[in-house]
Amino acid sequence: MNAVTQLDVLDLESLIEHYDVGELVRYQAAVTGIENSNYFITTAQRGRERHFVLTLLERPSNAGRALVPLLDACVAAGLPVPAVMRTRRQEAYTELSRKPALLCQRLPGRHVYNPTTRQIEAVGRFLGRLHLATAHLDFRLPDYPRNAAWLRSQADVCSQHLGYAHRVLMADVVDRITRYLSRADVAALPRGPIHGDLFRDNLLFNEQGLTGVLDFHHAADGYLIYDLAVAANDWCTDGQGALDPERVLALLRAYHGIRPLVRVELWSLPLMLLYAALAFWLSRLVVTLAQRRGAAVRANNPDELRRIVAHHNAHFLYLDERLLD
């Protein structure tokens, strides 16, 4: 969620002076951010304009202080992620309005909301490259916070505000997923750094393909197949929450071509899809409840994820590993 911080232009100019990026020309608020305040910044340096994104951290990222080293590692690996600018003193973080601030390169491209199969394949390839590039970092990210305990605690809060049918659905799915997460075979699934939030509004495309992946604030150490589940729930479902099997297969095949999936990951995908949908249904409900209490925050519609949860709970996606050959 995001309570937008209003900038004072003099404070912003003072902040920009800490960087070797030229003089402030203009800025505007980015309207798509949910959890942090983002601003598009244009500067002029040696006769040319440069473009950046200034992020004010309204809440700590999952990755904590590992966020910047993670982005640096991705940039070094050639991944299309925003490079974090350093101040003249080589500091990554500054401060504005008493909040930590990051100035990053602004990447080209635009969001897509009706993705083609080729764009879905690009998402799969990116995730494969991300998981390979970050497999042997010399630092470790915090564990993914939306674990079984988090699911239960958030469900206790949110279910009180749901109608009977949705409350029953939530109770059933929370019980199903928390039992699933306690299994030894799940604990043994491949883990590593994950993006954790690969929704359509966090990717940029142009006519040539994928140009940018944004918002690593949900990055954490988690199940690699969970990253694919989060993406599939947003990129491969219709308006009723039903998966398109051909789109899911396109996503998996593209990923598999970069980092081969093991059989147990494919077997785990149906329940990982349910887990990911439940986690984001709950997180959106939390923000919606905050809005009802008068908080000045932006939120996405939780009903979209509730429909996906209901569909996954009622239907089992069968995947034959031979389909990836």
Side-chain angles (χ1 to χ4, degrees):
M1 54 185 157
N2 178 11
V4 178
T5 298
Q6 300 301 317
L7 296 188
D8 180 281
V9 66
L10 295 179
D11 290 340
L12 181 56
E13 288 177 337
S14 178
L15 180 142
I16 293 298
E17 287 177 359
H18 290 287
Y19 298 87
D20 183 20
V21 297
E23 297 181 349
L24 179 67
V25 174
R26 58 185 175 272
Y27 72 96
Q28 68 180 77
V31 298
T32 56
I34 295 295
E35 296 186 340
N36 296 304
S37 297
N38 296 294
Y39 292 86
F40 297 134
I41 305 293
T42 300
T43 66
Q45 186 176 41
R46 292 186 284 276
R48 70 182 183 93
E49 290 191 344
R50 302 181 66 185
H51 304 283
F52 305 94
V53 176
L54 176 68
T55 299
L56 302 187
L57 301 181
E58 305 288 349
R59 51 180 291 183
S61 70
N62 286 347
R65 286 290 172 172
L67 173 64
V68 171
L70 174 64
L71 291 173
D72 289 344
C74 290
V75 170
L79 296 174
V81 306
V84 179
M85 307 301 295
R86 291 337 197 245
T87 68
R88 298 178 193 274
R89 295 183 177 182
Q90 296 304 303
E91 297 168 330
Y93 289 91
T94 52
E95 186 177 282
L96 189 62
S97 300
R98 298 182 179 179
K99 295 171 183 175
L102 287 173
L103 187 69
C104 294
Q105 167 194 16
R106 183 176 179 182
L107 299 176
R110 60 187 180 275
H111 302 298
V112 298
Y113 295 102
N114 294 293
T116 65
T117 300
R118 290 185 63 184
Q119 288 167 337
I120 291 171
E121 290 170 343
V123 175
R125 286 192 296 271
F126 170 80
L127 276 177
R129 293 174 63 198
L130 172 69
H131 293 166
L132 282 184
T134 58
H136 302 290
L137 298 175
D138 57 4
F139 58 90
R140 189 178 184 278
L141 275 67
D143 289 339
Y144 187 65
R146 294 178 181 177
N147 54 21
W150 184 91
L151 296 175
R152 286 191 294 266
S153 65
Q154 300 305 312
D156 287 344
V157 173
C158 295
S159 61
Q160 304 171 36
H161 303 274
L162 299 177
Y164 177 76
H166 296 166
R167 190 162 64 247
V168 169
L169 172 65
M170 179 172 288
D172 179 36
V173 174
V174 168
D175 179 65
R176 188 177 177 189
I177 293 302
T178 53
R179 284 188 287 110
Y180 168 69
L181 292 175
S182 70
R183 286 168 24 185
D185 61 321
V186 176
L189 286 169
R191 294 180 63 97
I194 62 172
H195 182 279
D197 194 26
L198 213 64
F199 282 67
R200 284 168 287 175
D201 56 4
N202 282 331
L203 278 83
L204 300 171
F205 288 85
N206 64 14
E207 290 72 16
Q208 282 71 49
L210 177 64
T211 57
V213 178
L214 314 174
D215 195 353
F216 278 72
H217 297 285
H218 283 264
D221 185 89
Y223 299 117
L224 302 184
I225 193 66
Y226 180 84
D227 238 359
L228 281 164
V230 172
N233 280 338
D234 193 57
W235 293 82
C236 305
T237 52
D238 62 22
Q240 302 306 310
L243 282 172
D244 181 330
E246 291 303 315
R247 290 188 170 223
V248 175
L249 188 57
L251 177 74
L252 295 178
R253 277 180 171 156
Y255 180 93
H256 185 70
I258 303 295
R259 177 196 163 260
L261 291 157
V262 296
R263 184 174 298 146
V264 69
E265 289 180 293
L266 284 179
W267 292 346
S268 295
L269 182 60
L271 284 173
M272 280 290 173
L273 289 162
L274 182 60
Y275 170 27
L278 172 63
F280 280 92
W281 182 27
L282 284 168
S283 68
R284 290 187 180 187
L285 283 170
V286 168
V287 179
T288 300
L289 292 176
Q291 283 183 326
R292 292 178 185 174
R293 292 192 294 267
V297 294
R298 290 198 294 264
N300 289 319
N301 186 355
D303 288 340
E304 176 187 4
L305 270 298
R306 190 254 308 156
R307 287 190 290 269
I308 296 173
V309 167
H311 185 272
H312 290 338
N313 199 43
H315 302 85
F316 185 85
L317 176 69
Y318 172 74
L319 288 170
D320 186 333
E321 60 265 28
R322 291 174 296 180
L323 295 174
L324 297 178
D325 293 340

